[in-house]
Amino acid sequence: MTFLLTGLSHHTAAVDRREAFAIPAEELPRALARLLAWPGVRDGLILSTCNRVEILLEAEDAAFDPAPVLAELYQRDMSAAASGFYCYRGADAVRHLFRVGASLDSQVIGEPQILGQIKAAYRASRAAGGMQGGLQPLLARAFSTAKRVRRETGLARHAVSVSRTAAGLARQIFGSLEGRSVLLIGAGETGALAASHFLREGAAQLFVASRTPEHATALAARYGGSVIAFGAWSDAAAADIIISCTGASQPVLDRAAVTQLLSRRRARPLLLLDIAVPRDIAPEAGQLDNAFLYNIDDLRAAVDHGLAERRREAVRAEALIEQEAARFLCAARGRQAAPAIQALQAHGEALRQRELERLRPKLAQLPAAQRALVEAWMETLSLGLMNKWLHRPLTALKAAARAGTEAPLIEAMEQLFAPPPAAVTPLPVSAAPATLAAEPEAGAAVETETDATTAVPAPLRARSAQRSAG
Amino acid sequence: MVNLSLFWARLALSLYTFGLATAWITLAVRRETLFRLARGAVALGFCFHFVSLVEMAVAAGHFPITQYSEASSLLAFLIVAVFLAAYRFYSPPSLAVVVFPLVFALTLTSIYGSDGVARVGVGAAAGVTSNPWIYWHAALIFLGYAALVVAFAGEILYLFAERRLRHRPPRPGPSRWLPPLETMDRWSYRALLIGFPLLTAGLAIGLYWANAAWGTLDLSDPKIALTLLAWVIYLVLLFSRWSGGWRGRRAAYATVACFVLAAAGWLTGNASGLHHFFPR
């Protein structure tokens, strides 16, 4: 089994190519069904967003070639188109998935949407039956890694747009934006965009003022706000946030106007966002107590700062990803040895039961009370002996699996222990012969075991073959 | 301080110390769950502190306020009480950063500082313990102080938050330990509103009692002068806030001034002719 991730993203393909390969949500179930029906594909997930199309699958063969699957999915020849598709295998695929989930591979690194998109893709895949094997724990770890990165680094903490910066500042002043009022001066698109962001974040009321009343009316109608006359600022004293973005060459709000507003507000704090050039709000107004003025350069500087901070945090996030991927791969390798371990344990248990069954008829000679006691001793003795005998080989096997060096050990164990096929289960108690005469011959057991050498280690063989191939 | 009471007080102090350390760590690593631990430790310390005070009162046979150690222990206790009450409604961990060190210092001095500062009493000795009003006087003022401490903590945080908002380039991300500006402002105002009547009543009782006992009020007594000055600022501050003019920086500075005066009054306690504490 191996993980394979192929696809294209904004790093490798322009928007027209991403469009061409995008798989819309309504076609996703069909695409997943096709993917999962492909021979050699055990689990599969398709992530299609505007920035990336990625297909993650668990293949039975380490050398699995994804090109024919892609051709099947897109119903076209992928040999030429495939040039833009990257392909990660094994540890690289795990690492890439973790990076995408933690939003390190995003266009705006640290943006939170991608995790939700992967979760949606995961749900779709699970519904289509694509989460039966190794992808389930892989995705679970990708989600927990993303959460850890969010929690332990500042990757998503820094605002990287002017609107978000403004909202972040407002939150530091007012706590929540719920129920706040916004005054928008000027009916330009930039200002409207910022104002609408505040409304989306919970602001309750919008006042609009413009030199051209029709513009103000149109904008107010669009966002459900109310129009106030240009210059009649005291009508909007309820506004906690003022966004100014006019084309005026002289300040629209001077210090006196802001002072007046503040006194009308009984000195409740006022957030002033001046996104106009030349500036609309007199810089001196920013020195007033309870007035917090930011101009466009301040906001842009914060955005630049936020981007720089995110890049800095990304370095820490990468280290976390590396750590989590290593941990996951180590655990996955440990899981890969599970069939061999189970086979060995089952083998030991089968031998034990058979030996017990052989002895049981001899106990019939004993009085009932003693028989129960001896049977209990036999049980304890055989179990203890078996566990102690298997302890070291199993520990060694687990440790080797974690280190990825279990193949020679598995092979050695096959030769040394020759576990029987899984089909050979201990004899049911009822079938046990009740008399001494029915003692089974030793030869029968030996024969079974000889068969086992070739038949059983199927899972073991497959594993070691794959290892040596990889 | 009596032995048994000292034992409980030390227990309380160790829990406060733990709470203080945990609160600082909380802010450093931003784990809200950790702060619950800090608050729990302080709340438990508060219970032991109460036992300590009761032991003290039982041993002394009166309200534990006549010695410096008793008084500072009581004040620390009341500050924790107000803090915990405030926390029930809303309180960010950051408030603890200002409040816990004060509580810690007061409890510490109540345990280890008592011997050094006790001096022979003269003025207030006459009939102090027999007059119940002295206890009301002190208890109300102490409660007022405790509220003032919380208001002060809020305003200190306010000043930091305000400074942060005026920083260029702006930092739009939420602060690791500072709550929103308006929240702090609202909290300080509430604490001030609660503290004022308590402080006023305590002072009024003191004035009345002093008048009845000595027929005069010694304004040159530093403790009385400083406390009255603090009270006047408090009055002006509260009135201006109420009438709408003062908020923000100015109100914060006034609250800090008020606190500093009150704290100075507290610290000059032993230089005061009327208010020094009994020797052990």
Side-chain angles (χ1 to χ4, degrees):
Chain A
M1 288 293 163
T2 187
F3 297 121
L4 190 145
L5 190 149
T6 180
L8 42 77
S9 73
H10 59 98
H11 289 303
T12 62
V15 65
D16 52 332
R17 274 174 60 76
R18 298 204 301 272
E19 267 168 13
F21 289 107
I23 298 172
E26 60 272 15
E27 280 177 32
L28 198 55
R30 218 149 43 92
L32 274 168
R34 269 195 210 149
L35 174 67
L36 293 169
W38 194 262
V41 173
R42 188 154 163 235
D43 272 3
L45 173 132
I46 298 175
L47 173 69
S48 179
T49 73
C50 45
N51 277 332
R52 67 183 68 245
V53 182
E54 287 185 347
I55 293 153
L56 171 67
L57 48 89
E58 191 185 23
E60 275 159 17
D61 180 10
F64 183 85
D65 178 17
V69 193
L70 292 175
E72 160 76 9
L73 273 183
Y74 292 111
Q75 298 290 312
R76 65 161 107 170
D77 172 33
M78 287 298 288
S79 51
S83 57
F85 272 63
Y86 41 76
C87 181
Y88 298 109
R89 287 169 198 274
D92 291 335
V94 171
R95 222 169 281 128
H96 181 79
L97 177 71
F98 285 8
R99 289 190 76 244
V100 172
S103 191
L104 277 170
D105 201 52
S106 301
Q107 200 148 38
V108 178
I109 57 168
E111 55 92 5
Q113 285 87 359
I114 185 67
L115 190 60
Q117 288 162 338
I118 298 180
K119 280 184 178 165
Y122 163 74
R123 280 191 296 271
S125 158
R126 205 177 47 182
M131 287 287 156
Q132 314 275 350
L135 277 200
Q136 170 77 35
L138 176 64
L139 266 291
R141 184 57 79 95
F143 296 145
S144 67
T145 302
K147 261 191 218 151
R148 187 174 168 211
V149 166
R150 252 185 122 63
R151 198 176 56 232
E152 292 180 22
T153 73
L155 194 63
R157 218 166 24 237
H158 305 278
V160 289
S161 74
V162 167
S163 297
R164 266 175 199 283
T165 301
L169 291 166
R171 249 184 241 106
Q172 278 181 57
I173 298 173
F174 304 113
S176 153
L177 290 175
E178 217 61 47
R180 298 289 161 179
S181 306
V182 180
L183 165 62
L184 174 61
I185 306 177
E189 250 336 285
T190 326
L193 205 67
S196 72
H197 187 78
F198 279 113
L199 290 174
R200 269 204 307 281
E201 300 261 325
Q205 204 180 3
L206 177 69
F207 301 104
V208 187
S210 170
R211 279 191 206 279
T212 328
E214 304 83 70
H215 290 171
T217 315
L219 205 64
R222 195 161 99 199
Y223 293 109
S226 46
V227 180
I228 65 160
F230 195 87
W233 309 130
S234 50
D235 291 354
D240 305 289
I241 300 154
I242 299 180
I243 304 165
S244 192
C245 185
T246 73
S249 51
Q250 292 296 313
V252 174
L253 274 175
D254 56 8
R255 189 189 158 106
V258 177
T259 310
Q260 202 188 358
L261 270 176
L262 279 169
S263 86
R264 282 213 160 223
R265 292 173 56 75
R266 294 169 58 92
R268 272 180 294 131
L270 182 61
L271 172 61
L272 300 157
L273 300 164
D274 185 355
I275 50 180
V277 180
R279 286 175 288 180
D280 276 347
I281 304 172
E284 308 87 67
Q287 288 151 13
L288 290 167
D289 200 2
N290 299 310
F292 299 93
L293 168 64
Y294 303 92
N295 63 37
I296 188 67
D297 277 3
D298 295 333
L299 296 173
R300 285 217 184 109
V303 168
D304 290 344
H305 179 73
L307 281 171
E309 286 292 312
R310 281 195 180 191
R311 277 194 291 274
R312 215 162 51 90
E313 292 294 320
V315 178
R316 290 181 53 211
E318 296 280 6
L320 280 184
I321 300 267
E322 204 53 50
Q323 195 186 0
E324 288 287 331
R327 254 189 232 170
F328 174 80
L329 289 165
C330 178
R333 276 198 297 267
R335 272 195 300 275
Q336 281 178 343
I341 288 168
Q342 280 161 8
L344 199 57
Q345 275 169 332
H347 174 56
E349 180 63 18
L351 286 181
R352 189 175 79 88
Q353 289 297 342
R354 198 151 46 227
E355 290 310 303
L356 285 177
E357 285 310 321
R358 264 154 52 104
L359 276 173
R360 212 161 269 145
K362 293 181 181 162
L363 295 182
Q365 302 161 343
L366 292 172
Q370 280 185 15
R371 197 189 315 149
L373 196 61
V374 173
E375 248 179 72
W377 284 347
M378 274 163 47
E379 179 74 22
T380 315
L381 174 76
S382 60
L383 197 66
L385 208 56
M386 182 191 76
N387 284 344
K388 287 210 168 59
W389 181 251
L390 285 181
H391 177 72
R392 267 198 69 87
L394 290 183
T395 320
L397 190 55
K398 279 179 198 162
R402 277 196 293 276
T405 57
E406 79 282 17
L409 265 190
I410 289 176
E411 220 156 298
M413 281 186 189
E414 277 169 17
Q415 287 176 22
L416 291 174
F417 294 107
V424 178
T425 44
L427 291 169
V429 181
S430 58
T435 59
L436 276 170
E439 191 180 339
E441 325 101 77
V446 171
E447 210 177 271
T448 328
E449 281 168 22
T450 324
D451 289 347
T453 332
T454 45
V456 177
L460 308 189
R461 286 271 160 92
R463 284 254 346 91
S464 47
Q466 188 191 328
R467 273 266 154 228
S468 35
Chain B
M1 218 192 265
V2 260
N3 273 341
L4 201 55
S5 144
L6 204 58
F7 167 74
W8 292 115
R10 280 185 179 147
L11 205 56
L13 180 67
S14 27
L15 283 163
Y16 290 161
T17 315
F18 177 76
L20 175 64
T22 320
W24 281 101
I25 296 169
T26 306
L27 295 175
V29 303
R30 60 157 80 209
R31 288 274 163 87
E32 289 282 323
T33 42
L34 203 60
F35 185 69
R36 261 182 254 149
L37 195 67
R39 199 188 43 139
V42 168
L44 191 63
F46 177 72
C47 298
F48 291 141
H49 203 154
F50 180 71
V51 177
S52 160
L53 284 168
V54 169
E55 291 280 355
M56 206 186 268
V58 168
H62 58 80
F63 197 60
I65 207 153
T66 54
Q67 282 179 10
Y68 180 73
S69 60
E70 296 173 349
S72 47
S73 184
L74 182 67
L75 182 57
F77 175 78
L78 290 174
I79 293 173
V80 179
V82 172
F83 172 78
L84 289 175
Y87 194 89
R88 266 193 70 78
F89 299 101
Y90 169 83
S91 180
S94 35
L95 207 55
V97 173
V98 186
V99 173
F100 285 5
L102 281 170
V103 169
F104 171 77
L106 278 170
T107 317
L108 190 75
T109 51
S110 81
I111 295 175
Y112 298 104
S114 53
D115 293 338
V117 289
R119 287 182 198 152
V120 180
V122 192
V128 161
T129 49
S130 61
N131 191 330
W133 286 107
I134 183 75
Y135 301 129
W136 282 108
H137 160 66
L140 287 170
I141 287 184
F142 278 22
L143 264 174
Y145 277 179
L148 185 59
V149 163
V150 171
F152 163 76
E155 293 292 18
I156 288 287
L157 295 179
Y158 178 95
L159 287 173
F160 274 108
E162 212 256 2
R163 238 179 98 86
R164 187 176 196 265
L165 275 163
R166 296 202 184 274
H167 184 270
R168 292 295 183 275
R171 298 163 177 165
S175 157
R176 191 172 282 216
W177 60 288
L178 289 170
L181 208 59
E182 272 209 331
T183 311
M184 281 297 93
D185 188 67
R186 200 166 47 236
W187 261 95
S188 299
Y189 185 45
R190 279 186 200 165
L192 287 175
L193 275 181
I194 293 168
F196 188 72
L198 297 168
L199 197 62
T200 310
L203 285 176
I205 289 170
L207 291 177
Y208 176 78
W209 182 67
N211 206 36
W214 302 295
T216 172
L217 184 70
D218 184 10
L219 278 179
S220 65
D221 180 305
K223 183 158 194 153
I224 295 178
L226 284 167
T227 312
L228 282 180
L229 192 55
W231 182 80
V232 170
I233 294 180
Y234 202 152
L235 178 69
V236 172
L237 163 69
L238 210 56
F239 179 77
S240 329
R241 258 182 176 263
W242 171 75
S243 65
W246 274 20
R247 253 175 210 270
R249 257 184 322 216
R250 245 182 307 174
Y253 289 142
T255 309
V256 171
C258 201
F259 171 82
V260 168
L261 285 171
W266 167 266
L267 291 171
T268 55
N270 287 288
S272 157
L274 289 172
H275 284 91
H276 61 89
F277 296 99
F278 283 159
R280 279 161 71 95

